[in-house]
Amino acid sequence: MEKKEFKSESKRLLDLMINSIYTNKDIFLRELISNASDALDKLYYRSLTDELDISKDELEINLAFDKDKRTITISDNGIGMTKEELEENLGTIAKSGSLSFKEDMTGDEKANIIGQFGVGFYSAFMVSKKIEVTTKALDSDDSYKWESEGVDGYSITKAKKKDRGTEIVLYIKDDTDTDDYSKYLDQYELKNLVKKYSDYISFPIKMECSHEHLVDEKKKKYETHTEIETLNSMVPIWKKDKNEVSDEDYDNFYMDKFSDYDKPLKVITSNVEGMVSFKSLLFIPSHAPYDYYTQDYEKGLSLYSNGVLIMDKCSDLLPDYFSFVKGVVDSEDLSLNISREVLQESHSLKLIAKNIESKIRKELETMMKDDREQYESFFKTFGVQLKYGVYNNFGADRDKLKDLVMFYSCKHDKLISLDEYVKNMKDDQKEIYYAAGSNINKIKSLPQVERVTDKEYDVLLLTDYVDEFCITAIQEYDSKKFMNVVSEDLDLDTEEEKEKLKKANEKSEDMFKAMSDLLPEVDEVKFSNSLGKHPVSLTTKGDVSIEMQKVFDAMPNDMGIKAKMILEINEKHPIGKKMKKLFKEDKKEFEKFTKILYSEARIIAGLPIDNPTEISSLICDVISK
Ligand code: ADP
């Protein structure tokens, strides 16, 4: 018999699993039942589309145990697996190949890794020393047996299974000082586990149960009789009355169905009747799925037609900006034997999607108002996605999302909404001020920010690379325009100050021209009133700010988008006088100073210096005089 090795990452994951760092061993049963239910769903769906002669009534999951042999058997008459599918599905655990294992991981880190991949079939190794999977696929005459004792590998041999479907036999581990595995070899324990985790499964989970009856009271004589019982109520959780379902039931359903090790942050239920009728049960995860920000992530909701799964991840039901939402939608108005292409065009599906989008949005708006702590937690995890949604598609969805985004307030030292900003604006304040940079403290210390906060206006401090794009897409909020505090358009001076500055600038026009000739990237050089104690600063004019420029620079292909940069010099700083003097008396020194000042301004703006050796020798020249 040929023994095959697991792929190396799978091996390590399996090792973690077997060495039982996942504390909740009970979940092995729900994982196997859920796989069996999927296999039945797939078969039933095939029977509808391919018109096979299979009735839903004959589809079932069977559970059995043998105390003496220490085995638990889970079988289904679902779609089964071919030899290739067995190899593919049970030979690899971690499909993505991007697992990062470290030496000396803590228990939490290990649980996290397992959690990330969904515990799945392999969780059965937490309680089993050996597993046998015998399976016969629909349309196949042959059957195969996969067996494995864990990390050492597995083998696949031909089997003699008569009926279609899959049978899994778990050989339960021996008890240890710390772990009682024998408890699973008990009818009440198994019944409880099914009730707790798998009650909603839409196929019957049957088990032969024995009951003792007192037949003779005097002699205390009991008789045992057995009968096949269906252990689950079979009503999908989303079809149950909300009052009958506990928070824990929803959490368990979510963790099972969407393979998350954490409870959801928010559960959203709805029952819509009208043009199109449907029930939905949606969840906002409490943390981003491990692959959320990768290309592998697939958004979508599970779509059911009256309890029968028709599509596992229907992406048309969710806009990209809510791609983190998980859940199920069940509608009687969708025909079962419908192809994906037709489904996409379906009017009902579009109505459902629209309804779901607005339901999620309203729930989030309510959360923001009524439970700020929860909303902040949500926003820290998925806020980027909302901000991305604002500017995506040329801002088409910005009005739907602008009340859901938050930015960091300089005045309040916390995240606030645009509505809150505007409500707190001072009477004489016309615009919404913001400043961007790599972190809060850096932005707070920008001279231009100080100048605005001195007037007791609040400034939104933007640290996410999407923030400025988002704000640019919103354009204005409550008829108030956004104003970057480092923009040359910032207008905080009094008329008198403006006049004075204008004169000073006019007087030095020649000098500024000479400076900008020396600095090809600089559009304009001028004096400024807005620098406080700082000697120089870079600002921009037009649509592209310095922070946006950084984002463009980081993109793989040069898009040729450049910020229009202005070098501002503090008129009141001694360097202003010095420059005027040098311009008249020493052109060579003037040139050096110009280059050094520009480099300083770049450093403050967080931009790289292209010619660091030249600049450092210039500085040495100047300071060693
Ligand atoms: P997941 O269910 O998250 O895909 P699992 O490790 O639990 O991951 O299972 C891997 C795959 O093995 C399943 O996706 C399915 O294709 C197949 N499989 C598992 N159990 C069964 C079963 N009882 N019948 C048919 N296929 C199954």
Side-chain angles (χ1 to χ4, degrees):
M1 189 163 68
E2 190 196 352
K3 193 150 208 171
K4 301 200 177 178
E5 297 237 340
F6 287 108
K7 304 214 167 88
S8 70
E9 283 183 331
S10 303
K11 223 164 153 170
R12 298 210 52 185
L13 198 59
L14 199 52
D15 192 35
L16 289 184
M17 188 88 78
I18 293 168
N19 292 313
S20 64
I21 44 78
Y22 202 76
T23 43
N24 188 5
K25 295 194 174 64
D26 292 353
I27 52 104
F28 79 92
L29 190 63
R30 74 156 198 221
E31 296 294 329
L32 298 185
I33 289 177
S34 151
N35 282 346
S37 164
D38 290 348
L40 293 167
D41 267 334
K42 281 181 202 158
L43 178 72
Y44 188 55
Y45 186 60
R46 270 282 294 278
S47 79
L48 295 168
T49 49
D50 298 2
E51 293 177 12
L52 306 177
D53 185 22
I54 290 172
S55 109
K56 187 156 188 189
D57 301 340
E58 62 189 78
L59 303 181
E60 60 182 43
I61 299 166
N62 275 286
L63 198 59
F65 67 98
D66 186 323
K67 248 194 165 90
D68 300 328
K69 290 193 185 134
R70 292 184 71 80
T71 57
I72 297 178
T73 305
I74 299 112
S75 49
D76 65 72
N77 51 359
I79 197 145
M81 283 178 271
T82 61
K83 189 178 180 204
E84 291 69 35
E85 283 166 341
L86 252 187
E87 175 91 36
E88 162 88 18
N89 294 335
L90 304 187
T92 331
I93 309 178
K95 295 183 187 92
S96 114
S98 60
L99 270 182
S100 59
F101 287 103
K102 291 187 298 186
E103 297 306 319
D104 329 315
M105 280 190 287
T106 63
D108 275 358
E109 283 172 330
K110 289 178 186 169
N112 235 332
I113 286 204
I114 290 190
Q116 280 178 359
F117 281 86
V119 274
F121 168 79
Y122 293 90
S123 61
F125 278 111
M126 294 195 293
V127 299
S128 322
K129 48 187 175 189
K130 177 175 158 190
I131 301 178
E132 288 172 4
V133 180
T134 313
T135 182
K136 186 169 177 192
L138 173 74
D139 308 327
S140 164
D141 294 330
D142 299 325
S143 63
Y144 294 91
K145 181 154 110 183
W146 178 100
E147 60 189 296
S148 167
E149 291 180 12
V151 252
D152 279 353
Y154 61 92
S155 63
I156 296 176
T157 47
K158 247 186 144 156
K160 288 193 183 120
K161 191 173 181 340
K162 279 204 214 78
D163 306 319
R164 178 203 67 230
T166 303
E167 180 184 270
I168 299 177
V169 183
L170 310 179
Y171 292 82
I172 300 300
K173 286 184 184 176
D174 298 325
D175 293 339
T176 66
D177 291 346
T178 47
D179 290 298
D180 169 21
Y181 297 103
S182 300
K183 71 172 181 189
Y184 296 118
L185 298 162
D186 173 78
Q187 108 180 13
Y188 296 101
E189 179 71 16
L190 291 174
K191 266 183 166 178
N192 278 339
L193 290 182
V194 170
K195 262 270 153 283
K196 184 166 174 195
Y197 293 112
S198 311
D199 191 57
Y200 67 90
I201 294 287
S202 62
F203 302 97
I205 304 166
K206 294 182 178 172
M207 182 164 79
E208 188 179 74
C209 297
S210 57
H211 299 277
E212 291 198 333
H213 289 273
L214 194 59
V215 281
D216 190 329
E217 195 147 349
K218 274 188 206 140
K219 292 184 193 156
K220 293 256 176 291
K221 200 177 152 204
Y222 288 88
E223 229 170 52
T224 311
H225 93 273
T226 56
E227 73 183 331
I228 308 268
E229 283 180 29
T230 297
L231 309 181
N232 55 329
S233 76
M234 290 199 284
V235 182
I237 190 166
W238 59 90
K239 284 202 170 182
K240 286 188 187 166
D241 191 67
K242 223 173 127 180
N243 304 325
E244 281 173 32
V245 188
S246 69
D247 291 348
E248 200 193 349
D249 292 337
Y250 281 133
D251 292 349
N252 279 333
F253 170 76
Y254 165 79
M255 292 194 281
D256 169 26
K257 172 116 181 136
F258 301 105
S259 307
D260 196 345
Y261 56 95
D262 252 348
K263 289 180 199 165
L265 183 76
K266 176 96 192 151
V267 179
I268 305 170
T269 56
S270 58
N271 185 0
V272 175
E273 276 173 33
M275 295 262 284
V276 56
S277 302
F278 69 92
K279 289 189 166 62
S280 69
L281 173 57
L282 309 178
F283 302 91
I284 298 176
S286 55
H287 59 109
Y290 73 97
D291 57 352
Y292 187 58
Y293 292 104
T294 72
Q295 299 232 318
D296 295 339
Y297 183 79
E298 275 178 71
K299 64 165 184 172
L301 300 174
S302 297
L303 185 60
Y304 289 77
S305 163
N306 204 11
V308 180
L309 182 73
I310 44 179
M311 201 189 279
D312 202 25
K313 276 190 181 160
C314 181
S315 61
D316 296 300
L317 285 172
L318 287 176
D320 279 344
Y321 49 85
F322 289 152
S323 60
F324 47 82
V325 175
K326 308 258 184 197
V328 299
V329 174
D330 193 339
S331 170
E332 292 173 14
D333 298 336
L334 294 171
S335 143
L336 260 179
N337 355 359
I338 193 170
S339 73
R340 267 167 207 241
E341 294 71 29
V342 176
L343 186 65
Q344 269 174 352
E345 291 308 314
S346 140
H347 184 58
S348 305
L349 193 78
K350 287 190 178 134
L351 280 179
I352 297 176
K354 203 168 155 207
N355 204 301
I356 283 180
E357 188 276 342
S358 94
K359 174 82 185 173
I360 300 172
R361 197 151 37 85
K362 295 215 171 77
E363 286 284 334
L364 288 173
E365 278 168 13
T366 312
M367 196 201 290
M368 185 196 241
K369 270 198 225 96
D370 299 347
D371 189 347
R372 184 49 79 94
E373 209 178 309
Q374 190 181 40
Y375 192 78
E376 274 194 24
S377 157
F378 157 76
F379 196 77
K380 283 185 181 137
T381 316
F382 297 114
V384 170
Q385 195 63 19
L386 299 186
K387 291 188 269 190
Y388 173 73
V390 167
Y391 78 79
N392 207 16
N393 285 335
F394 307 100
D397 299 312
R398 64 172 178 231
D399 289 336
K400 290 188 192 148
L401 297 173
K402 66 183 180 194
D403 282 314
L404 289 178
V405 292
M406 300 201 292
F407 300 100
Y408 197 87
S409 149
C410 186
K411 201 181 222 168
H412 303 286
D413 259 320
K414 62 173 191 185
L415 291 167
I416 61 167
S417 67
L418 293 173
D419 184 51
E420 287 158 349
Y421 182 99
V422 170
K423 289 214 166 94
N424 282 315
M425 273 169 70
K426 310 246 328 174
D427 291 342
D428 62 343
Q429 185 182 348
K430 292 187 201 68
E431 287 156 329
I432 301 172
Y433 296 111
Y434 69 90
S438 56
N439 69 53
I440 299 289
N441 285 336
K442 257 195 204 167
I443 315 177
K444 271 189 177 170
S445 61
L446 284 175
Q448 293 95 334
V449 171
E450 278 170 26
R451 190 154 174 262
V452 178
T453 50
D454 279 352
K455 294 208 181 270
E456 290 182 28
Y457 301 152
D458 195 3
V459 180
L460 298 174
L461 310 180
L462 315 185
T463 50
D464 235 331
Y465 76 97
V466 294
D467 286 347
E468 259 191 293
F469 292 90
C470 172
I471 271 185
T472 314
I474 298 179
Q475 290 177 347
E476 53 178 54
Y477 187 90
D478 195 20
S479 311
K480 315 280 188 301
K481 287 210 158 48
F482 290 96
M483 174 62 68
N484 191 338
V485 300
V486 304
S487 149
E488 67 144 9
D489 302 328
L490 184 76
D491 184 13
L492 292 179
D493 293 340
T494 61
E495 287 308 315
E496 198 184 334
E497 284 167 332
K498 276 187 212 164
E499 197 49 39
K500 239 174 114 187
L501 186 66
K502 197 172 159 220
K503 284 206 177 112
N505 272 322
E506 276 166 4
K507 258 197 195 155
S508 297
E509 217 171 293
D510 293 346
M511 173 177 89
F512 294 143
K513 167 98 185 35
M515 286 176 87
S516 62
D517 285 347
L518 287 166
L519 307 168
E521 295 147 19
V522 171
D523 223 54
E524 193 183 339
V525 185
K526 63 181 190 181
F527 284 134
S528 162
N529 276 339
S530 58
L531 300 181
K533 295 187 276 305
H534 302 253
V536 281
S537 167
L538 271 185
T539 64
T540 52
K541 59 178 168 189
D543 292 336
V544 185
S545 73
I546 290 175
E547 291 307 310
M548 289 161 107
Q549 171 85 62
K550 287 182 201 166
V551 176
F552 291 128
D553 286 347
M555 289 183 177
N557 38 1
D558 185 2
M559 298 160 80
I561 301 173
K562 293 279 170 240
K564 282 197 169 153
M565 289 206 256
I566 302 172
L567 177 63
E568 293 194 343
I569 298 171
N570 189 348
E571 216 249 303
K572 300 187 189 87
H573 194 281
I575 194 68
K577 269 201 201 92
K578 175 93 181 173
M579 288 303 279
K580 282 190 235 174
K581 190 160 179 267
L582 290 177
F583 181 60
K584 275 197 208 116
E585 296 168 7
D586 188 344
K587 284 272 166 355
K588 264 223 142 66
E589 283 297 287
F590 173 78
E591 209 170 289
K592 284 185 200 162
F593 271 63
T594 300
K595 286 183 176 168
I596 293 172
L597 283 179
Y598 174 56
S599 300
E600 275 183 35
R602 284 186 72 93
I603 292 170
I604 294 169
L607 290 168
I609 308 284
D610 296 334
N611 46 353
T613 33
E614 185 195 344
I615 298 302
S616 63
S617 43
L618 285 180
I619 292 173
C620 277
D621 271 3
V622 172
I623 57 180
S624 48
K625 275 218 168 122

